Amino acid sequence: LVSALLVDVSSALLVDARPAAQASRLALARHQPVLMQDGSDPGRRQALFGGLAPRSIRVGDNVVANNDWNSSSPAYGIVRAQVYELRRVYYQGLVDGCVQRVDVERLDAPPPPGCAGYKKYVALYSRRYHSGTAPVVLQPSEVEVVRVRDEVSGSAWLALPGLFWTWLAFTFYKYGEERGGAFRGLKKGSR
């Protein structure tokens, strides 16, 4: 009888508490940013991960070349794993027998209106290799480039496990030194 009474009282309290909890959730929801329809929130993701996701490459970005192009003559080519500045991205085509170049801001930009059939070109410059020459102009399909920031952030994620294991090994070493570890009594050259 007592347990039945407790169940009735607790269920009554839960029923009465639900509208208050829903009202407080609605009040909080008014002050929080609204998520998109699919439940994602790019602003929150940007704040959490600091913009580590790869973004499009823009003119002025520093990029790393993933392959060689005419590397036998670095002053007129691209050397793999070297940093270059993306100086220009443009589409080039012929109009009435004249070469027309139309600049765009991003490497992945589609051709501007009226430039159907034009080919995309990029100009890459390195102070180390091209100080006496002009930037190297080539098609994006000839050299794959990645932003330096994306390359570093990708490498950092690979380095984190190594740093953890290094820290763990050092911690075990220090623990052994403090507690009279197995290597404490050994001297160099003694057997």
Side-chain angles (χ1 to χ4, degrees):
L1 180 64
V2 173
S3 64
L5 183 60
L6 288 175
V7 169
D8 288 337
V9 170
S10 64
S11 64
L13 290 174
L14 287 177
V15 171
D16 291 337
R18 284 185 193 151
Q22 288 175 347
S24 66
R25 272 191 238 125
L26 288 174
L28 286 174
R30 284 187 217 124
H31 300 293
Q32 292 180 348
V34 178
L35 297 177
M36 297 173 76
Q37 292 293 338
D38 62 353
S40 64
D41 182 11
R44 185 175 294 168
R45 190 177 315 120
Q46 178 80 11
L48 285 175
F49 297 110
L52 294 178
R55 285 188 250 154
S56 63
I57 299 172
R58 296 186 171 278
V59 173
D61 283 349
N62 288 326
V63 296
V64 177
N66 284 342
N67 59 313
D68 292 327
W69 184 82
N70 193 23
S71 62
S72 60
S73 176
Y76 302 102
I78 301 296
V79 179
R80 181 178 59 89
Q82 297 298 311
V83 176
Y84 293 89
E85 179 187 353
L86 181 63
R87 287 270 175 103
R88 187 176 181 195
V89 179
Y90 62 91
Y91 284 88
Q92 178 175 309
L94 287 174
V95 177
D96 299 327
C98 295
V99 175
Q100 181 182 12
R101 295 183 178 128
V102 180
D103 289 313
V104 292
E105 284 294 314
R106 296 184 336 255
L107 186 60
D108 60 351
C115 296
Y118 284 23
K119 290 188 177 184
K120 187 189 300 187
Y121 290 91
V122 296
L124 298 173
Y125 177 78
S126 169
R127 284 183 298 186
R128 179 177 181 184
Y129 298 116
H130 308 130
S131 61
T133 62
V136 175
V137 177
L138 50 102
Q139 291 184 354
S141 59
E142 295 173 320
V143 173
E144 181 185 351
V145 294
V146 178
R147 285 188 330 154
V148 170
R149 181 177 181 162
D150 297 335
E151 191 76 14
V152 169
S153 65
S155 299
W157 286 112
L158 290 175
L160 286 177
L163 292 174
F164 168 75
W165 290 113
T166 303
W167 170 82
L168 186 64
F170 181 74
T171 303
F172 279 140
Y173 170 76
K174 292 301 280 181
Y175 178 80
E177 286 292 315
E178 292 170 2
R179 305 283 193 270
F183 303 111
R184 189 182 252 316
L186 295 178
K187 303 261 192 253
K188 286 188 176 181
S190 65
R191 293 187 188 209

